[in-house]
Amino acid sequence: MAGESMRCTVCGYVHVGGELPACCPVCGVGQELFEAEEVSSIAVPGSPARAWRCLICDYLHEGAAPPEACPVCGAGPDQFEAVYGQGGEPETADSGATIVIVGAGIAGISAAAAARETNPAARILVVGREPELPYYRINLTRYLAGELTSEQLSLHPAGWYEERRIELRPSVEVTAINAAARSIRLGTGETVSYDRLILTLGAHSFVPPVAGIDKAGVMTLRTYRDACALLEKAGRGAGCVVIGGGVLGLETAAALAGRGARVTVIESFDWLLPRQLNPAAGKRLATYVEKLGIRLLCGVRLQKLAGENKVSGVVLETGETLPADLVIFAAGVRCNNALARQANLEVHDGILVDNRMQTSIDDIFAAGDVAEHQGVLYGAWLPAQQQGKVAGVNAAGGSSRFPGLPRSNILKVLDVDLFSIGNVHPADGSYQVFEDSADEHYALFVFRNSTLAGAVLLGDTSLSARLKELIENRTSCSTILHGVRNGAELRRRLLSAGRS
């Protein structure tokens, strides 16, 4: 319906207003896999489009019509959607306000853009630690794989910030926040005052405290400079050990293997993606990884790193040593919340925020990887972007809400579609478990008291919207389950019920 936001449950694309396309313009699934969604920071069309957003890479093109080709990813004009203004005047816009944003990732830049849209007269300052123009962090593995150039990583060209009068201060560290005085202290010694502060501090790679992590050749992949260092050192024939069998670890391993490095992935659990997948699905995913020439070691633990000043190998708890020229840790991230704690903001794992992205101090907002909303640390691109928009609007004197996004468990790893939801690790015999395993797909369905408790889809995720609906609505599946003999039959019944 016009004015309604509809979200693709497979890839997350949001269609705003008008009739749904015959298929998702991003991933190609049909209309039946869209669901209604209220995302307050996405505006409803009410005036001529002023910009166009690429559905593939989120590049924003200013103008009345889309470009002939996206300058970032090359998508054609049919892969752009119109972007409309927020509409209406902000409720209490303070034209002389100074808004300072700490952090120049997608949350910070989205906040700056939304703040400028809401309040044309405000001073907007973005302070970032890295020297580069703000870039697509999620594309670092694509850059590592040679699929993108460094220029294509940038969110916007330098002129974009100048046109919007957004002051960008790269290579600057914020050392302290004085909430009482409404000021921040920079590593340069300067003190900058603010009327509203937005913290988009992001996260850092977690490196476990094992012996030898201070040796040369021990690396992470979180920044552009990390990627450049890996490209310099991980040449053809280099021995690389990646610690961590999650999405980042697998994508990093695939990129390095594609460049001719000899790659081993170590995962302490017995299978890959242990939080999202059950053992059978994780082990099936392993076959895709091994086809890329990557060696997998699951169910093993790291004891220490060998070598003098430079790492020469990884020593496992079994005593085995794996030779290594480089060791790359991809074992998760931790929020950068030290500044917030020092400023006496309420912090749990992340900075606690409400639906306005407001922290425990009224004139300070937070968004992105560092923000904890209703107990959730999303750690994903789309929520960071939407949270940044909401924080920017509210900091500029407008009114916007972040109601939360569905906790999407849809992943794409090494071009393999995965869907995981709910409890995929049943604890006892009170659960009914069905599996459907075929050459091109795998499915797991977990029921308790005739209600779907969890599911995994690998290869074919066409049932994802139906399964999500069943779990969220706690729908009784007794009719579907009656007389079902195996997972393949159950899958057919679920598909049939979803179409009716």
Side-chain angles (χ1 to χ4, degrees):
M1 295 177 60
E4 184 178 24
S5 297
M6 300 291 290
R7 178 179 182 273
C8 173
T9 58
V10 175
C11 69
Y13 161 70
V14 177
H15 178 83
V16 182
E19 294 298 322
L20 274 174
C23 62
C24 176
V26 177
C27 68
V29 299
Q31 293 180 343
E32 71 276 6
L33 292 179
F34 278 74
E35 64 180 14
E37 179 184 46
E38 177 190 356
V39 181
S40 58
S41 58
I42 297 178
V44 176
S47 58
R50 290 179 288 175
W52 299 81
R53 183 177 70 86
C54 176
L55 300 172
I56 306 301
C57 69
D58 281 335
Y59 167 74
L60 195 69
H61 173 80
E62 299 290 337
E68 292 184 3
C70 175
V72 176
C73 68
D78 59 329
Q79 297 295 303
F80 278 76
E81 70 171 356
V83 177
Y84 300 85
Q86 290 285 342
E89 292 297 320
E91 292 181 353
T92 57
D94 179 359
S95 60
T98 295
I99 301 169
V100 176
I101 301 168
V102 182
I106 183 59
I109 301 308
S110 296
R116 174 55 72 224
E117 179 73 21
T118 304
N119 192 333
R123 180 198 177 197
I124 300 174
L125 171 65
V126 179
V127 180
R129 297 176 59 181
E130 297 182 57
E132 298 80 21
L133 280 174
Y135 57 86
Y136 288 94
R137 194 178 306 278
I138 59 170
N139 278 344
L140 286 176
T141 52
R142 293 184 64 197
Y143 173 66
L144 190 63
E147 298 174 9
L148 296 176
T149 66
S150 57
E151 291 77 16
Q152 290 173 319
L153 278 177
S154 295
L155 286 169
H156 305 290
W160 185 90
Y161 303 93
E162 296 170 3
E163 291 168 5
R164 288 158 181 77
R165 292 175 290 110
I166 296 171
E167 300 175 48
L168 189 62
R169 293 281 304 272
S171 301
V172 174
E173 184 89 31
V174 175
T175 59
I177 299 169
N178 188 332
R182 289 186 175 179
S183 67
I184 59 173
R185 188 171 69 245
L186 307 182
T188 60
E190 301 170 72
T191 296
V192 177
S193 298
Y194 63 82
D195 293 296
R196 254 82 69 192
L197 179 66
I198 304 177
L199 300 177
T200 60
L201 299 162
H204 60 275
S205 298
F206 171 68
V207 178
V210 297
I213 57 173
D214 56 342
K215 300 180 188 299
V218 178
M219 310 181 74
T220 59
L221 181 59
R222 182 69 184 172
T223 68
Y224 172 72
R225 283 170 290 176
D226 291 339
C228 290
L230 272 172
L231 283 175
E232 181 182 343
K233 297 177 181 178
R236 181 168 296 277
C240 301
V241 175
V242 178
I243 310 297
V247 175
L248 177 62
L250 295 179
E251 291 183 345
T252 300
L256 296 175
R259 289 186 172 273
R262 295 176 290 105
V263 184
T264 300
V265 173
I266 295 176
E267 170 56 55
S268 60
F269 281 83
D270 290 334
W271 65 95
L272 298 176
L273 297 179
R275 292 176 180 81
Q276 295 96 343
L277 302 181
N278 64 317
K283 290 172 182 176
R284 178 169 283 229
L285 177 62
T287 63
Y288 291 95
V289 177
E290 290 170 336
K291 286 179 182 177
L292 299 176
I294 297 168
R295 182 188 181 194
L296 285 177
L297 293 177
C298 293
V300 299
R301 293 183 179 276
L302 178 64
Q303 183 184 78
K304 64 179 181 179
L305 303 182
E308 295 297 328
N309 297 323
K310 184 182 184 303
V311 69
S312 63
V314 171
V315 181
L316 306 179
E317 287 188 348
T318 60
E320 180 185 359
T321 298
L322 306 176
D325 302 304
L326 294 173
V327 176
I328 301 101
F329 281 91
V333 298
R334 298 291 184 271
C335 292
N336 294 328
N337 57 35
L339 273 177
R341 291 185 184 277
Q342 292 165 9
N344 294 318
L345 290 169
E346 288 188 21
V347 178
H348 185 221
D349 291 327
I351 302 172
L352 300 183
V353 295
D354 61 15
N355 287 356
R356 302 182 72 248
M357 307 315 295
Q358 197 167 41
T359 70
S360 55
I361 298 178
D362 289 348
D363 49 22
I364 301 180
F365 300 80
D369 289 354
V370 78
E372 184 172 340
H373 175 257
Q374 297 179 0
V376 178
L377 282 165
Y378 285 94
W381 179 267
L382 180 62
Q385 187 178 45
Q386 298 302 330
Q387 288 180 352
K389 290 180 181 179
V390 172
V393 168
N394 291 323
S399 180
S400 186
R401 297 289 187 274
F402 178 78
L405 291 175
R407 297 196 68 176
S408 174
N409 298 295
I410 298 173
L411 306 168
K412 196 171 186 72
V413 183
L414 310 180
D415 290 326
V416 180
D417 292 315
L418 304 173
F419 173 78
S420 171
I421 191 167
N423 179 9
V424 300
H425 304 295
D428 53 47
S430 63
Y431 293 85
Q432 288 178 279
V433 178
F434 297 88
E435 291 182 278
D436 175 25
S437 182
D439 290 340
E440 297 183 357
H441 71 260
Y442 169 85
L444 170 79
F445 307 101
V446 180
F447 291 86
R448 192 174 193 185
N449 299 324
S450 298
T451 300
L452 186 65
V456 170
L457 303 174
L458 188 151
D460 178 359
T461 58
S462 57
L463 262 177
S464 58
R466 174 66 173 151
L467 300 179
K468 184 173 179 290
E469 178 186 10
L470 290 174
I471 285 184
E472 290 181 348
N473 296 335
R474 305 181 68 84
T475 304
S476 173
C477 298
S478 56
T479 301
I480 293 175
L481 289 171
H482 180 69
V484 71
R485 291 166 295 182
N486 53 52
E489 181 181 353
L490 174 60
R491 186 172 180 276
R492 287 193 295 271
R493 290 191 183 186
L494 286 167
L495 282 168
S496 176
R499 297 191 186 104
S500 61

